């Protein structure tokens, strides 16, 4: 049944009794008039969507302006309404927020990576102005995901992938856990429909048994509360499907081996009660070593606070217990939306700003990094952190992503400290700069005026800030070297025609040459010659064409190399639309036809083709990357690595090799062994035509009896 405006007014008045209901109804009537005659793909009136978004915002207990924005959020994008019209009808604040929501998703880009990067840049800017804009956008995306079945399959995959990559992590970073969980499960449903259905069925078949187990434990925990004289409540819940799936993938286990499907939450009145209950639970059931986390003493970056522990419960089954106060629970469920302070000035209050240091760092990043691939690589580092808490020499707590090093710590303190970092002490002992930091470590950085960053640091740093600062420094060094090399190359060639470099750069034709070659200034042009993007002949032929024609240029070293390449044309790759250039494929990422790719100019080694998201190429200078594309008509093959997990039983290996052969894929290498968990692990390198052919091979292997999991191996990891 479609939500009506009365449902929204009732929900709003429940937590904001003095709200201006006249403004709310005016927004409803305005939206209804503007969307009249429009329908969603489901056939429902379009107005059902803004009404649902407004109700989600009421569930988040958002203020009146946010709910009004929810009702109006599509009027600029999907009707003839203008921002000025909204400003006149509803005021500056509402008009600005509706425009902010519109701008987040309006722009369309050529590639998925560019689209994600630019969408996220816009969200960052929107958050900087008013974080409520992004909360409205999350509510909009949530309802769109709830009705995604009405989209064509291609649209489902695109929207679900973007939701899983960007919106769910963003909801998590803002601390809105229920939206994060629902977005993940909905994305999982459309991205992996068969796996989702299978997992849903298994959970459903266990539900009756689990319900009895949950009820038993819940009563026991309630008895403990009563015995301790603590006021509180206990809730038992099943973990959401996507988190179960991720755990199975990460640990390489079957559903039957997931023993902590149920989590219990205890909500009490005070922090003291939290720790009291923790002690009683640990004395009642044996705690699992390494599974206790104190997010009360050291909250997460999204303001989340709670005690987490896993114990061996009744029947020898593991169970997770979370203990928190009512205020902590409100923040855990609603995150920044649970705080009234952010509403007062259109942004986080000063008291909350320290809790959103990650947002400030991302805002700095989006201003500094222009390359979309590099930006998204850095963004995902900050969106998917598993935190480590370390101490400064003064005893202040600093939060870093898991696997961070002293170099990450140094750049988090200040960029100058990172640039001058020459050594580090962890817990009072000198350690290498690549040492991995752990919870509770005390870190002290030693600096030197003569120290400069090393490119090798990129191999182990984890934070986006450190990676970005080091890349920038390396890029500047590379540019200076290329500038000097380009200057030398042109100087030598110009002398053959009686010119000096200074005289040539001062010619009247120079601005026209720069414009024709698409360079802003002469330094950019010289650097391009040094990189190998331009030959001296290309420059001289435009700058002093008469002299070049009367003195034919000898083929340059780069030209000779390219000529050699042209005599051995590539069968798979076209370089910037030019065929016949020999290239080599990077072994670090091993791209296949169908994978997005990019080229990298290696001085003296031609062009190396990497997968577009290869971490190694993202660490390189963007100025030395070049557009490349697969030649679809070429029937070449490429090697691909896959890893298969199976039951350790007879006939499985024969079945796997048979499936590969039936798909007309040649096995280049193979190995098999049993791991510590008793599973069979089979590694293959196979010759395939493209990404689709590889997927056919993997699908065929999955159908072999006894096979549990099949993964492609890339970048030294499986995906």
């Amino acid at each position: 049944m479609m939500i009506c405006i009365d449902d929204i007014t009732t929900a709003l008045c429940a937590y904001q009794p003095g709200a201006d209901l006249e403004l709310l109804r005016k927004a409803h009537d305005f939206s209804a008039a503007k969307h009249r005659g429009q329908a969603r793909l489901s056939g429902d009136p379009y107005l059902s969507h803004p009404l649902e978004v407004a109700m989600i915002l009421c569930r988040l207990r958002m203020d009146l302006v946010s709910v009004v924005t929810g009702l109006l959020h599509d009027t600029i994008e999907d009707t003839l309404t203008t921002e000025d019209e909204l400003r006149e009808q509803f005021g500056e604040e509402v008009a600005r927020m509706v425009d902010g929501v519109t701008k987040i998703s309006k722009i369309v880009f050529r590639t998925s990576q560019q689209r994600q990067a630019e969408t996220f840049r816009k969200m960052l800017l929107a958050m900087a102005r008013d974080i409520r804009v992004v909360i409205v956008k999350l509510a909009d995306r949530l309802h769109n995901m709830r009705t995604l079945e009405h989209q064509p399959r291609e649209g489902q995959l695109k929207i679900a992938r973007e939701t899983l990559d960007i919106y769910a992590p963003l909801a998590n970073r803002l601390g809105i856990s229920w939206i994060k969980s629902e977005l993940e499960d909905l994305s999982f449903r459309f991205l992996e429909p068969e796996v989702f259905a299978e997992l849903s069925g298994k959970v459903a078949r266990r539900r009756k048994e689990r319900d009895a187990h949950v009820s038993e434990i819940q009563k026991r925990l309630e008895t403990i509360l009563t015995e301790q004289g603590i006021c509180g409540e206990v809730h038992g819940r099943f973990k959401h499907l996507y988190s179960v799936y991720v755990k199975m993938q990460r640990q390489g286990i079957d559903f039957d081996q997931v023993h902590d499907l149920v989590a219990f939450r205890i909500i009490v009145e005070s922090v003291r009660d939290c720790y009291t209950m923790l002690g009683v639970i640990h004395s009642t059931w044996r705690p699992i070593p390494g599974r206790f986390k104190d997010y009360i003493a050291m909250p997460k970056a999204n303001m989340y606070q709670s005690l987490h522990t896993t114990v061996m419960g009744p029947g020898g089954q593991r169970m997770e217990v979370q203990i928190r106060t009512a205020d902590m629970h409100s923040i855990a469920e609603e995150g920044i939306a649970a705080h009234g302070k952010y509403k007062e000035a259109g942004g986080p209050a000063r008291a909350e700003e320290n809790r959103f240091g990650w947002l400030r760092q991302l805002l700095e990043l989006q201003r500094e990094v222009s390359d979309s691939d590099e930006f998204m690589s850095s963004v995902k580092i900050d969106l998917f952190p598993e935190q480590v808490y370390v101490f400064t020499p003064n005893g202040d707590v600093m939060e870093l992503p898991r696997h961070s090093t002293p170099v990450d710590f140094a750049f988090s303190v200040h960029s100058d400290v990172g640039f001058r970092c020459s050594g580090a002490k962890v817990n009072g002992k000198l350690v290498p700069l690549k040492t991995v930091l752990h919870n509770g470590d005390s870190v002290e950085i030693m600096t030197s005026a003569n120290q400069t960053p090393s490119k090798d640091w990129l191999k182990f740093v984890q934070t986006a800030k450190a990676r970005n600062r080091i890349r920038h420094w390396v890029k500047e060094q590379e540019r200076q070297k290329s500038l000097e090399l380009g200057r030398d190359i042109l100087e030598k060639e110009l002398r053959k025609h009686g010119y000096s470099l200074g005289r040539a750069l001062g010619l009247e034709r120079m601005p026209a040459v720069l414009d024709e070659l698409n360079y802003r200034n002469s330094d950019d042009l010289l650097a391009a010659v040094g990189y190998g993007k331009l030959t001296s002949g290309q420059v001289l032929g435009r700058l002093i064409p008469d002299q070049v024609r009367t003195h034919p240029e000898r083929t340059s070293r780069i030209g000779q190399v390219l000529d050699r390449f042209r005599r051995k044309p590539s069968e798979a790759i076209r370089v910037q639309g030019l065929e016949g250039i020999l290239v080599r494929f990077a072994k670090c990422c091993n791209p296949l036809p169908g994978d997005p790719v990019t080229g990298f100019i290696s001085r003296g080694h031609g062009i190396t083709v990497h997968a577009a998201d290869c971490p190694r190429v993202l660490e390189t200078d963007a100025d030395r990357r070049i557009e490349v594309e697969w030649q679809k008509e070429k029937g070449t093959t490429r090697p691909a690595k896959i890893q298969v997990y199976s039951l350790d039983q007879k006939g499985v290996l024969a079945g796997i090799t048979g499936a590969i052969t039936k798909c007309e894929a040649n096995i280049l290498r193979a190995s098999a062994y049993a791991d510590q968990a008793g599973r069979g692990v089979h590694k293959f390198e196979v010759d395939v035509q493209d990404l689709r052919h590889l997927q056919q091979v993997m699908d065929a292997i999955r159908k072999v009896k006894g096979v549990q999991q099949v993964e492609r191996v890339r970048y030294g990891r499986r995906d």
Side-chain angles (χ1 to χ4, degrees), residues 639-642 660 666-671 683-687:
K641 295 179 180 179
I642 53 178
I660 295 172
N666 186 35
I667 300 174
L668 302 176
R669 292 183 184 83
S671 65
K683 297 182 179 181
F684 297 93
E685 185 172 352
V686 296
D687 231 3

Side-chain angles (χ1 to χ4, degrees), residues 436-457:
V436 174
L437 300 177
H438 299 94
N439 278 323
D441 283 346
S442 179
V443 187
E444 180 182 352
I445 300 298
M446 293 172 284
T447 60
S448 169
N450 299 321
Q451 179 66 41
T452 57
S454 167
K455 189 175 181 179
D456 288 339
W457 290 359

Side-chain angles (χ1 to χ4, degrees), residues 349-364:
R350 185 175 300 276
E352 303 302 332
E353 287 182 359
N354 290 336
R355 296 179 184 259
F356 283 86
W358 64 276
L359 174 55
R360 290 198 307 276
Q361 290 179 13
L362 285 180
L363 286 167
E364 289 177 18

Side-chain angles (χ1 to χ4, degrees), residues 479-619:
R479 177 178 167 80
Q480 288 304 314
K481 290 178 183 177
S482 296
L483 190 59
E484 293 172 11
L485 180 59
R487 194 182 298 275
D488 289 343
I489 291 171
L490 276 184
E491 184 80 62
K492 289 175 183 177
E493 293 301 321
L494 283 163
R495 282 178 190 161
K496 298 174 185 177
H497 303 285
Y499 278 81
S500 68
L501 182 61
R503 179 188 168 195
L505 295 180
L507 290 173
E508 289 184 8
R509 285 188 49 77
M510 192 63 198
V513 172
L514 289 172
D515 187 58
E516 186 178 346
L517 294 172
N518 201 26
Y519 290 100
R520 290 175 301 175
N521 52 52
S522 57
D523 278 357
D524 287 350
L525 182 141
L526 292 171
V529 174
Y531 282 133
K533 285 191 168 185
L534 278 179
T535 67
S536 58
Q538 289 175 293
V539 178
L540 268 60
R542 290 170 174 80
L543 196 58
I544 48 173
D546 294 338
Q547 284 85 339
V548 172
R549 275 198 296 270
T550 56
H551 298 83
E553 181 192 22
R554 290 184 302 171
T555 305
S556 67
R557 175 181 288 180
I558 293 177
Q560 292 170 5
V561 172
L562 290 177
D563 283 343
R564 237 180 13 251
F565 289 169
R566 289 189 176 96
R567 286 195 289 272
K568 299 177 182 178
S570 166
E571 288 297 317
I573 288 288
R574 180 184 291 114
V575 180
Q576 285 190 334
L578 300 174
E579 295 188 42
I581 299 293
L582 182 66
V583 296
R584 59 184 183 137
F585 292 93
K587 295 181 180 179
C588 53
C589 54
N590 199 27
L592 291 176
D595 285 324
V597 288
T598 188
F600 180 72
I601 300 172
S602 303
R603 294 193 188 98
H605 298 286
I607 295 167
T608 305
V609 177
H610 290 261
D613 59 352
C614 174
R616 188 166 295 182
V617 79
L618 291 175
E619 292 171 2

